[in-house]
Amino acid sequence: MAQKSRKTSKAKGSLSALVVAVILAGAYYIFSPEEDVSPSREGLIPVELVKTIDGDTIKIVYEGKETNVRYLLIDTPETNHPRLGKQPFGEEAKRRNQELINSGKLEIEFDIGQKYDKYGRLLAYIYIDGESVQEKLLAEGLARVAYVYPPNTRHLDDYEKVQNEAKKKGIGIWTLEDYATDRGFDSDTYPVKGNTSSKPESEKPSTQPTEQFANCTELRKVYPEGVKQGHPAYSERMDGDKDGVACEPR
């Protein structure tokens, strides 16, 4: 009889311990901070922001070093380009990018292709609190889908859908007819004068400056990196591969 009593007490003790464990586990999940139980999406790498450079480029700390990151699959207008200068909506894109980047947890995602471009910049998708910064810029008409180089095309279809919606709405860069092209932003069509958000001029200025060079050798003496379409020195006859950049170094 005493042995049966001991077994009953032992069983009750085990049951009590189990109940306590369940209560403690429940309390942990109820009161623990959300970030402790919500891991990042697979493939996203947390990084530290150093600064925002422009609408599609930031500087981060990656693997212990400060590195520039170029956003994959999008392009925003320039803010202070050595050849193109300031373009319409360039400042707006930079400000919006800065707002987004500083609003939460910054993470990057690589595609399956090369991780660096020819300028040594990381190529990545950018996320704040798990949401795509590229998609937000496209949705607000502050970027276009560009620089599509397979196999880095994981989110291309999604980006194009978002861009098409912005086009339909006619917002941002899509308010300027023929400004955003397959080769870049046409600065000649809408030259910036003062505020980048000013309305486009009805006609292209007849006094638009031009620079003419006999060949690429002569052009590179002045512009060693070549010139993009929209620059006064750009000429289609010196853009052999039709990529929107004339006389770029090989």
Side-chain angles (χ1 to χ4, degrees), residues 36-49:
D36 291 340
V37 296
S38 300
S40 297
R41 197 180 82 185
E42 184 178 358
L44 300 191
I45 304 169
V47 293
E48 177 186 345
L49 176 70

Side-chain angles (χ1 to χ4, degrees), residues 48-74:
E48 177 186 345
L49 176 70
V50 176
K51 67 176 182 178
T52 304
I53 296 175
D54 56 26
D56 53 31
T57 313
I58 57 176
K59 183 184 289 288
I60 65 170
V61 176
Y62 176 70
E63 295 185 339
K65 298 180 181 179
E66 291 190 0
T67 307
N68 287 351
V69 183
R70 179 65 168 78
Y71 293 13
L72 275 170
L73 297 181
I74 72 165

